[in-house]
Amino acid sequence: RVRLYCHHREPVTLDEFADGLVAEQQTLPCATLVILNRRRLVRMLFARLREAFPERRMIALSTDLTPRDRRIRIRLIQRLLRQNIPCLVISTQLVEAGVDVSFPEVHRDLAPLDSLIQSAGRCNRHAGGAAPGAVHLWDIHPRDRAGEASWQRIYDSPLIEVTREVLGEQS
């Protein structure tokens, strides 16, 4: 029901990731979920995408919102998806479990394997399309490729090393 595209072997900056996402959405707009590891990155990417797509339905989700506001936004997302309205959702890991949404495309920042599996569960959840859903895995660095990766303040290095080892040379 999903195909995993591993782009994580080459780090990208948040700006490079945003540029690629903008180009992709300009040529083939579809409902897309982006899951990032840090709230600050959610805010930064949301601002960049809002600038590129001022008319597009766009929703940010993070623990910066109250639980009530998160529920309201999740219901809005579910309604947009049911109506096949292309929307861009930029979120932290909070959508990984307990949120019933199904996107044709998911972009996920590098995380431990269990989180990646949970994120993939938000893609083509009901096996609705003729084509499999697309899950893209990235290693996003907020500022520069040589700097600290966004996962480094969230997850332990051994968890990421095991994930990289398990994924091996997948493409």
Side-chain angles (χ1 to χ4, degrees):
R1 93 186 157 82
V2 299
R3 175 154 167 77
L4 176 64
Y5 297 91
C6 295
H7 311 282
H8 69 283
R9 283 177 214 78
E10 290 295 322
V12 296
T13 65
L14 184 64
D15 287 338
E16 291 169 334
F17 174 74
D19 291 343
L21 192 58
V22 166
E24 173 189 289
Q25 290 291 313
Q26 285 174 333
T27 57
L28 191 72
C30 71
T32 301
L33 171 63
V34 178
I35 304 172
L36 301 170
N37 291 324
R38 304 196 32 213
R39 294 176 302 192
R40 181 173 59 87
L41 296 184
V42 168
R43 290 189 301 271
M44 291 167 64
L45 183 61
F46 184 86
R48 171 72 168 82
L49 294 175
R50 171 59 62 216
E51 182 180 296
F53 303 109
E55 302 301 317
R56 186 89 178 268
R57 295 291 245 160
M58 210 169 303
I59 299 157
L61 283 174
S62 75
T63 54
D64 285 343
L65 300 167
T66 66
R68 180 179 181 273
D69 288 336
R70 286 195 301 262
R71 276 193 309 277
I72 290 169
R73 289 186 186 193
I74 289 167
R75 285 188 196 122
L76 171 61
I77 293 165
Q78 291 168 330
R79 190 172 68 245
L80 293 171
L81 291 170
R82 274 193 311 274
Q83 296 172 353
N84 291 321
I85 298 172
C87 59
L88 285 170
V89 176
I90 301 26
S91 180
T92 59
Q93 307 90 312
L94 70 86
V95 298
E96 286 180 352
V99 178
D100 186 16
V101 293
S102 180
F103 287 83
E105 187 161 311
V106 173
H107 293 266
R108 179 63 168 96
D109 197 0
L110 189 59
L113 193 58
D114 60 332
S115 291
L116 300 181
I117 292 167
Q118 286 288 346
S119 297
R122 307 303 129 221
C123 184
N124 197 17
R125 193 169 175 83
H126 309 292
V135 176
H136 298 269
L137 179 59
W138 302 90
D139 184 6
I140 298 174
H141 292 234
R143 291 186 181 82
D144 62 69
R145 292 184 204 176
E148 181 180 77
S150 70
W151 60 263
Q152 287 181 295
R153 292 186 185 189
I154 310 294
Y155 303 114
D156 293 331
S157 291
L159 293 173
I160 299 300
E161 289 170 23
V162 166
T163 299
R164 288 182 189 272
E165 187 177 313
V166 167
L167 292 175
E169 295 302 316
Q170 297 294 319
S171 61

